[in-house]
Structure formats: structure tokens, C-alpha cells
Amino acid sequence: MKLSIVIFDGLTTLDAVGGYEVLARLPGIDVEFVAASRGVVVADTRRLGLLAFRDLDETTRTDILYVPGGPGGRSLEQDPEFLQSLRRLDSTSTWTIGICNGVTLLACAGLLKGRKVTTNWRDRHRMADHGAEFVAERYLRDGKYLTGAGVSASIDTALHFAQLIGGESIAQAIQFGIEYYPAPPLSGTSPAEAPRSAQQAVDFFERTSARDLLDSTPPFAGLTLEWPDRAA
């Protein structure tokens, strides 16, 4: 069973890695990170990179399509080649998973029309523009589509998915294996309960500093990698 995690410049790492840490532990799973081109993909903080070892163009099919979010995804909402790649892989997938504004990317690709979805709290009002209905849940399934809220919800979404396809015993073993028993030090169990000041701070950061970060040069810029021969 192949899991293809789509990564892109400016992704929020936990969107992808939270799900990866859960799903890579499923029996029989074959995980690949894919991007527009092979190489290091820089996260939104510009201090961390993930390695894509497949091109989107050379990924012809997948069983599980997984699309994370991040501020870098905003420009991809209008990228016809990227959206077509999502549509192409979704046409082959048994399951499609979106996290945070990765859900918005799926919606922009026209894949969520008529579906109930959840997503990052900043994008909740945008779902109707693409024919989808937002539901304020941590994670949500509608048919083959599984959507998750922002960032850390990738872990919850992936555990729910592990339970769906692997059963409760496997999901519980994975949850225990990664010792996932959240006990946050601050109050609040949903975005709706967050203090207004916190909401304003995050919104301001996303509109200003997050964009500035995407324009900055990561310290590992220029790193070269030696790839094995594709035929090897």
C-alpha cells in the first residue's frame, strides 16, 4: 500500500510529519515524499528541509494521497500544473487526506465539491467557495476523503485513519508507540475557545511575518545532493 505525501516550498512541517509518524508504522505501508521536483523542500520556518525523492510527474499512482498545508500552499492554489497533479493522483487513490490548508488545495483542485470537510480555522469560510461544507471537527471523513484541522490535528487524523484501515488494536499500538497522550499546559480544547488576543496574533503573523519568512534564504541554501541513477 503506497502512501504519497506531497510536499512543497513553505509547507508547515508538522502537517506532513505528524501524519507520517503515525502512518509510516502501519504494516505493509510504502511511504514516499513527492514534490514538483526532487530535492530538499524548505519548510515555512526556513530552518528545516524535507527531502522529496520522487517527482510529481513520475508518480503515476498511489493508494493514499496525503496533502499537508502551510503558507507556501497559497501560491499553489492558482498553479494549474500542481492542481492537475492532485487531480491525477486522486483519480488513482483509494483514500485522499488533507491537513490544514492542504484541504484548501484539494478544494481548489475541485475534489471536495459536495463534501463535508474540516480545515484550519483561518480557511473555514473559504470552503463554501469551492462547493464544500465546513464542519468544526478535529478530523472528518466523507467517503474516501479524510480531512484534518490545523497542524497538530495531523496526528489525530492519521490515528483515525489507522483505525479505519488497520483496526483498533493497530491504531492503539501506534498511539502507544509514539506515546501520544496530549496534555497541553494551556487551557482551551478548540480554536473557538482560544483567547481573542491569540487569534489576532496568529492572524497578524500569517499576514505579515509568514510571508516575509517565505522570501528569506534558508541557511542550507545551495546544498547539493548526489542522486543515484534513476534506473538503479
Side-chain angles (χ1 to χ4, degrees):
M1 182 167 54
K2 180 186 287 187
L3 165 64
S4 300
I5 302 176
V6 178
I7 56 178
F8 49 84
D9 184 75
L11 87 157
T12 297
T13 314
L14 188 57
D15 280 6
V17 175
Y20 165 80
E21 289 293 347
V22 173
L23 301 180
R25 289 164 169 76
L26 284 170
I29 199 77
D30 176 18
V31 185
E32 61 181 10
F33 285 88
V34 302
S37 59
R38 287 184 175 195
V40 176
V41 175
V42 186
D44 53 2
T45 62
R46 317 317 274 175
R47 292 297 183 271
L48 179 65
L50 296 179
L51 182 64
F53 52 92
R54 292 280 189 277
D55 293 350
L56 278 168
D57 287 345
E58 68 179 320
T59 308
T60 58
R61 62 166 303 279
T62 191
D63 299 300
I64 307 164
L65 173 62
Y66 185 111
V67 184
R74 298 303 183 195
S75 62
L76 296 176
E77 294 177 10
Q78 307 297 326
D79 185 325
E81 292 185 6
F82 180 81
L83 297 179
Q84 177 55 31
S85 293
L86 295 187
R87 287 189 287 268
R88 175 174 54 80
L89 289 174
D90 176 77
S91 71
T92 73
S93 70
T94 304
W95 299 91
T96 293
I97 300 172
I99 304 295
C100 195
N101 64 300
V103 179
T104 307
L105 290 172
L106 293 174
C108 288
L111 299 174
L112 300 180
K113 291 180 180 178
R115 301 285 181 181
K116 293 183 178 181
V117 301
T118 189
T119 185
N120 177 284
W121 67 274
R122 296 185 72 246
D123 276 21
R124 62 192 185 281
H125 299 305
R126 303 183 63 200
M127 294 299 100
D129 296 337
H130 300 284
E133 178 184 349
F134 172 77
V135 181
E137 298 287 353
R138 184 75 167 162
Y139 52 84
L140 187 67
R141 176 193 175 189
D142 188 336
K144 79 167 190 174
Y145 297 95
L146 190 63
T147 54
V151 193
S152 63
S154 60
I155 302 174
D156 303 71
T157 306
L159 283 169
H160 177 61
F161 181 67
Q163 184 180 20
L164 283 175
I165 68 171
E168 185 171 333
S169 295
I170 286 178
Q172 284 185 333
I174 294 173
Q175 181 173 331
F176 174 71
I178 65 173
E179 203 164 333
Y180 181 62
Y181 301 103
L186 303 175
S187 62
T189 59
S190 73
E193 297 177 25
R196 180 62 179 165
S197 59
Q199 296 183 34
Q200 291 173 333
V202 171
D203 186 63
F204 179 78
F205 175 82
E206 293 290 345
R207 289 186 288 104
T208 58
S209 300
R211 295 179 182 179
D212 293 339
L213 274 173
L214 291 182
D215 293 332
S216 66
T217 302
F220 48 85
L223 176 69
T224 58
L225 298 171
E226 293 186 5
W227 291 100
D229 187 272
R230 288 176 183 253

